[in-house]
Amino acid sequence: MFRTALRNVLAHKARLLMTVLAVMLGVAFVSGTLVFTNTVSDAYQNSAAKGFDQVDVAVVPRHQSSEGDRVGRTPDLTRAMLERAAKVPGAASATGVVGGFTAVADRHGKLVGGDWQSRGGNYWGTADSRYPLVSGHAPHGEHEVLLDSGTARRAGYKAGDTVRLSVDGPVLTPTVAGIFTTDDGNVTAGGSLALFDTPTAQKLFGKKDTYDEIDVRAKPGTGQAALKDALDRALPAHQVETTTGQKLAADQAKRIADSMSSMKRGLLVFAGIALFVGTFIIANTFTMLVAQRTRELALLRAVGASRRQVTRSVLIEAFVVGAVAGVTGLAAGIGIGAGLRALVGSFGASLPDGPLVISPGTVAAALAVGVLITMLAAWLPGRRAARIPPVAAMNSVYAQATTRSLVLRNTIGALFTAAGAAVIVAATSMDADSGEGPMGLGAVLLIIGVFVLTPLLSRPLVAAAAPLLRAFGVSGRLARRNSVRNPRRTAATASALMIGLTLITGMTVMAGSLQSSIDKMAASAIRADYVVSMANGSPLSPDVARKLAATDGVRADSPLRNAESRVDGRTEFVTGVDGASIAELTDLTMDQGSFTVGGTNIVVDKDRAEKYGWTPGSRVTAHFEDGKAQTLTVAGIYDGNALIRGIMLDNKVLTPHLSHPTDMQVMVKTADGASDAAKNRLAEALGANPAIKIQDKKDLSNSIAQIFTMLLNMVYGLLGMAVIVAVLGVVNTLAMSVFERSQEIGMLRAIGLDRRAVKRMVRLESLVISLFGGVLGIGLGVFFGWAAGELIGTKMPTYELVLPWGRLALFLLLAGLVGVLAALWPARRAARLNMLAAIKSE
């Protein structure tokens, strides 16, 4: 039986080619994902480990949590602590580290490095081997800075040039004192690093005579654990905590692995979808092969082969196909992993250097996925083959009944579909948190139910296309009949395309609805023409608000100043605003009371008011970071949203309690409204700062929706793999169908159907099957998009369903295009059949 199975594989290698390709694509996606994520993770871990080579023990502040009416605070690492750490037994040196966001502009005023990868810090002289100089000298004073070699190269700077940079808002123009190299993973991944002398860094980053971290080196012969114990005894335990360099490296490696695992899981989900779609092709292919070999399998049964042996022979064929697909998929996946790395680099997001990582786990996963998926998909056709009776060898027209067997399938499918739809509809009446699980379960049940019902659905939907098909004469009528001749085959072929289009349509509906809802939220909540903030979301210097207020054409402005407080023993972040102008800059719907912020009057969002039981006139006692209490009066309660929520009070009341006031945003309203001229005036007032974003309402809503847009584009790209696999499925089905109907096609040619009509018949059959899958996929996608939107609406009052009719029509056209392209080769093959040879074939 083993030799028989191998012979069958070799005899049908052309028919199995599409199956191999489908499995290979899925395996390539899996192995490529593993190679890419393992390579990036390994490179970052090695780079991060180098950064801890100079650190044996790190000393950081121990955050003191909030208790009672006391606001939690983080103690300072003082110079006295630094000197004490340097003198502990076993310590060779101690270095105080200060750092924070630092945006460096190139010669065209553009930000160098990403919003989150632009950093600054302090330089400890030429003895600091972490940042060896390649040119220039160490920085001295606030008018000199060092740049990493990568940033200097990309921006075109050299020692002696003047550079524009910003830490928290105001533009600085120091001289580049020198250029240094570093193994810092953030820098090698495309970020920027600017270094100042320690006093300047402390001033810029708000750490006057204090540090963010103290790094201690051990003397030769002193272990990291022993040095840590010595530091624990010398420094106040309630103010600091110590960690060895080895643990820091291990923790960093774990964080990198965890962050990469999210990407890995996301990519593997799409690989799984492609493989799931591929199972339809595999099952369809082996079902058709079994049907074509009915007499052959029956003869095997007649000469003594058992049912188990027949099933095993089919599974052996699947094993060979899966092994070939696994090996070729692994090779393709290695290429995909290397290509993804190069592609990321082409977008400017450089990665740390490192070798391509092909782990034994990747090899094992590729082979296991290829073999297991193929064998599982072929198991059911194998069982069906084993049930062929030996008497079929003597009956050339033997075939299993199909119509009656569909009754049970339709009943099961109807039950699953009804249960899934009912669960989804029930989930839409729940809130977002409790409804996620039921909705996911309902989606799975509904997809299974529709898949099982697809043979039943194929008849009415294909029949609906009959009027259009009649326009193509005999070819159209034959195409319609061929489409419904074998409902199971039509269903399996269409389902592969249905899965991909369901996901694409659902995501498109959700993304379009979210974009519209966010636009509406921004328009309804904000009257300000512009919102000014740092590029990476870090705090702004109060100087920014003062410069904006003094700009020509600014009619009203308000900084938004966040601060931690304790209210009724619970931590609340309050937002300080300009009480005189905030009402002109926002357009919030008041639930109770009035929008009055001034003196000790505050306004709160509805959720917090309900949590604390506040009503207009309620008096609230808030404790701030300086330990002082302030009695506040609730003047009004408003409906909060994703843009504006929480407790708002006047900055005149809040600021005296803050040691280092900073603003998260500044709202600005101009006399002439939003315009390019007004935006340019604001930018010029801030010195054309590369670190600051000036956004109008449309920019603000786009930035919020950007994550959904990026996700949608990723989904389109990744699900393209599933669509390609679906195309292969249509090609495979049509090619084997043409082979099955060789005698019939030969007869049609003999009675007068020309080659052009034969081609048209196969193309129309492919088009009908593809459009059938497209209609099902788009319909399910719209339903899922609506249901998911109902859950989102519980947290976003402005959410409403928006159907992107243009894109839905495009998806339907895409399904039709799939059908047309997939039919090119099978149609040409059918038209070129020799009619006499075809008539004589069995």
Side-chain angles (χ1 to χ4, degrees):
M1 295 303 294
F2 179 74
R3 289 195 299 271
T4 300
L6 291 181
R7 180 185 61 78
N8 285 327
V9 171
L10 295 175
H12 304 118
K13 53 183 178 292
R15 296 181 228 171
L16 292 170
L17 178 62
M18 293 299 174
T19 301
V20 172
L21 285 175
V23 180
M24 185 201 76
L25 286 174
V27 172
F29 207 154
V30 171
S31 54
T33 295
L34 295 176
V35 168
F36 173 68
T37 53
N38 289 342
T39 297
V40 173
S41 179
D42 184 73
Y44 271 116
Q45 289 178 16
N46 291 337
S47 179
K50 291 178 182 178
F52 294 114
D53 286 346
Q54 308 296 321
V55 181
D56 288 313
V57 179
V59 181
V60 297
R62 184 186 297 276
H63 181 73
Q64 298 171 352
S65 59
S66 302
E67 293 181 4
D69 293 331
R70 183 175 62 82
V71 175
R73 60 180 295 272
T74 301
D76 295 324
L77 297 179
T78 63
R79 176 173 290 277
M81 291 181 183
L82 175 65
E83 295 172 351
R84 195 181 308 169
K87 295 177 181 177
V88 301
S93 64
T95 303
V97 178
V98 181
F101 174 73
T102 303
V104 178
D106 62 18
R107 293 186 179 278
H108 303 288
K110 302 297 184 182
L111 183 66
V112 181
D115 295 347
W116 301 94
Q117 295 176 308
S118 302
R119 302 288 299 171
N122 61 317
Y123 182 71
W124 272 80
T126 54
D128 187 355
S129 58
R130 293 174 300 175
Y131 309 117
L133 290 174
V134 294
S135 67
H137 58 82
H140 299 288
E142 59 185 21
H143 297 297
E144 290 188 340
V145 66
L146 295 180
L147 293 180
D148 70 89
S149 56
T151 298
R153 183 180 63 256
R154 294 195 303 272
Y157 290 124
K158 61 183 184 299
D161 290 343
T162 299
V163 61
R164 297 176 67 253
L165 55 83
S166 174
V167 171
D168 60 356
V171 174
L172 307 175
T173 55
T175 300
V176 179
I179 309 296
F180 64 91
T181 60
T182 177
D183 290 326
D184 187 315
N186 183 68
V187 176
T188 57
S192 65
L193 181 61
L195 298 178
F196 309 88
D197 66 11
T198 298
T200 301
Q202 288 175 322
K203 178 182 177 182
L204 290 175
F205 299 118
K207 294 287 183 180
K208 185 177 181 181
D209 296 327
T210 62
Y211 309 94
D212 296 318
E213 182 178 312
I214 297 174
D215 294 339
V216 186
R217 295 292 306 276
K219 291 179 179 179
T222 302
Q224 292 186 354
L227 180 59
K228 180 181 183 302
D229 291 340
L231 288 167
D232 287 339
R233 290 191 296 271
L235 300 175
H238 66 285
Q239 291 184 308
V240 302
E241 54 184 329
T242 59
T243 309
T244 64
Q246 293 173 346
K247 188 173 188 310
L248 286 172
D251 291 344
Q252 178 79 339
K254 185 177 184 303
R255 284 194 294 271
I256 291 171
D258 290 343
S259 65
M260 293 307 299
S261 68
S262 299
M263 179 190 295
K264 184 184 296 185
R265 283 194 299 271
L267 291 173
L268 288 177
V269 165
F270 290 98
I273 293 169
L275 286 167
F276 180 64
V277 171
T279 59
F280 293 110
I281 300 174
I282 301 166
N284 217 10
T285 300
F286 279 93
T287 298
M288 294 166 73
L289 286 175
V290 167
Q292 292 168 11
R293 287 157 45 199
T294 296
R295 296 186 66 189
E296 175 187 332
L297 293 171
L299 279 172
L300 288 174
R301 293 278 287 113
V303 298
S306 66
R307 288 189 174 187
R308 182 175 298 178
Q309 286 178 312
V310 172
T311 302
R312 193 181 303 147
S313 71
V314 176
L315 292 180
I316 290 172
E317 293 179 45
F319 174 83
V320 174
V321 170
V324 172
V327 172
T328 54
L330 174 62
I334 294 172
I336 289 174
L340 282 174
R341 183 175 177 179
L343 183 64
V344 170
S346 69
F347 288 130
S350 303
L351 299 174
D353 294 329
L356 203 65
V357 178
I358 307 168
S359 67
T362 300
V363 176
L367 296 177
V369 166
V371 171
L372 290 177
I373 290 293
T374 309
M375 292 184 70
L376 285 173
W379 177 72
L380 193 58
R383 285 196 61 197
R384 194 174 296 132
R387 291 201 297 268
I388 295 174
V391 72
M394 296 176 288
N395 185 359
S396 61
V397 297
Y398 170 80
Q400 296 182 0
T402 57
T403 305
R404 291 185 178 179
S405 61
L406 286 173
V407 173
L408 178 61
R409 175 173 180 151
N410 294 340
T411 303
I412 294 174
L415 291 174
F416 270 88
T417 301
V423 172
I424 289 175
V425 172
T428 59
S429 62
M430 305 177 185
D431 58 60
D433 296 327
S434 60
E436 288 180 1
M439 183 160 291
L441 174 63
V444 171
L445 292 175
L446 182 57
I447 288 178
I448 292 173
V450 171
F451 168 65
V452 175
L453 276 179
T454 308
L456 176 66
L457 297 174
S458 65
R459 292 185 179 276
L461 290 179
V462 171
L468 295 176
L469 293 175
R470 289 196 192 100
F472 295 94
V474 174
S475 298
R477 290 195 293 272
L478 289 172
R480 186 183 69 81
R481 291 174 183 173
N482 290 335
S483 300
V484 296
R485 177 185 296 183
N486 192 326
R488 284 192 179 91
R489 183 181 302 169
T490 299
T493 307
S495 295
L497 188 59
M498 178 191 76
I499 297 296
L501 284 179
T502 295
L503 297 172
I504 290 175
T505 303
M507 290 295 297
T508 301
V509 170
M510 287 178 59
S513 300
L514 281 170
Q515 179 68 67
S516 174
S517 304
I518 292 170
D519 289 345
K520 185 183 295 185
M521 183 192 304
S524 62
I526 299 175
R527 289 178 180 169
D529 296 316
Y530 296 101
V531 175
V532 180
S533 62
M534 291 293 283
N536 72 332
S538 59
L540 285 163
S541 165
D543 287 344
V544 172
R546 286 192 285 268
K547 288 183 178 180
L548 290 171
T551 303
D552 290 341
V554 172
R555 191 174 78 187
D557 69 281
S558 173
L560 274 62
R561 187 166 295 169
N562 287 0
E564 186 178 350
S565 69
R566 294 286 286 178
V567 178
D568 292 347
R570 287 185 278 192
T571 298
E572 283 288 349
F573 283 89
V574 298
T575 301
V577 298
D578 186 313
S581 59
I582 189 63
E584 189 176 354
L585 298 167
T586 58
D587 189 17
L588 299 172
T589 301
M590 297 304 297
D591 187 67
Q592 298 179 54
S594 61
F595 193 77
T596 304
V597 181
T600 58
N601 286 335
I602 63 172
V603 293
V604 301
D605 65 62
K606 188 176 180 180
D607 290 341
R608 280 169 178 76
E610 291 177 351
K611 180 172 75 171
Y612 290 105
W614 293 341
T615 59
S618 296
R619 297 176 67 81
V620 178
T621 301
H623 294 79
F624 298 97
E625 67 174 53
D626 61 355
K628 296 180 180 179
Q630 180 74 55
T631 300
L632 307 169
T633 303
V634 177
I637 298 170
Y638 65 92
D639 292 331
N641 54 56
L643 296 177
I644 301 177
R645 65 178 65 182
I647 302 171
M648 281 191 274
L649 73 160
D650 199 312
N651 273 324
K652 294 178 182 177
V653 176
L654 176 63
T655 303
H657 295 287
L658 306 179
S659 57
H660 300 290
T662 56
D663 302 325
M664 295 307 298
Q665 296 176 336
V666 180
M667 288 185 173
V668 178
K669 191 170 185 63
T670 59
D672 300 327
S675 65
D676 290 340
K679 190 172 185 177
N680 289 336
R681 283 198 302 270
L682 297 179
E684 290 173 4
L686 298 175
N689 195 322
I692 292 181
K693 295 188 295 187
I694 303 174
Q695 298 174 295
D696 58 21
K697 284 186 278 193
K698 185 63 178 177
D699 294 332
L700 193 63
S701 62
N702 286 343
S703 66
I704 296 173
Q706 185 177 16
I707 184 171
F708 304 110
T709 303
M710 290 177 59
L711 179 61
L712 184 63
N713 290 334
M714 284 183 60
V715 168
Y716 285 161
L718 295 172
L719 287 179
M721 179 73 71
V723 174
I724 292 173
V725 174
V727 172
L728 293 176
V730 179
V731 173
N732 203 26
T733 299
L734 289 174
M736 298 189 75
S737 179
V738 167
F739 177 82
E740 276 187 347
R741 304 198 317 256
S742 295
Q743 190 177 58
E744 175 187 320
I745 293 173
M747 188 66 71
L748 290 172
R749 292 274 290 111
I751 61 176
L753 197 67
D754 60 20
R755 290 185 174 182
R756 183 177 297 177
V758 171
K759 284 184 180 181
R760 190 182 303 124
M761 175 186 71
V762 177
R763 288 171 183 164
L764 289 173
E765 180 182 349
S766 174
L767 182 63
V768 167
I769 292 174
S770 297
L771 288 176
F772 169 52
V775 169
L776 286 181
I778 293 171
L780 279 176
V782 169
F783 180 70
F784 288 148
W786 163 79
E790 291 296 302
L791 286 187
I792 296 172
T794 61
K795 288 190 174 182
M796 185 182 289
T798 58
Y799 184 90
E800 65 176 4
L801 181 67
V802 176
L803 293 180
W805 294 108
R807 289 203 177 187
L808 296 183
L810 182 63
F811 295 157
L812 193 60
L813 287 175
L814 174 64
L817 182 62
V818 165
V820 171
L821 294 177
L824 292 178
W825 177 61
R828 187 167 180 267
R829 186 165 180 260
R832 296 181 65 183
L833 285 175
N834 182 294
M835 68 178 74
L836 295 179
I839 290 172
K840 290 191 296 181
S841 66
E842 294 186 6

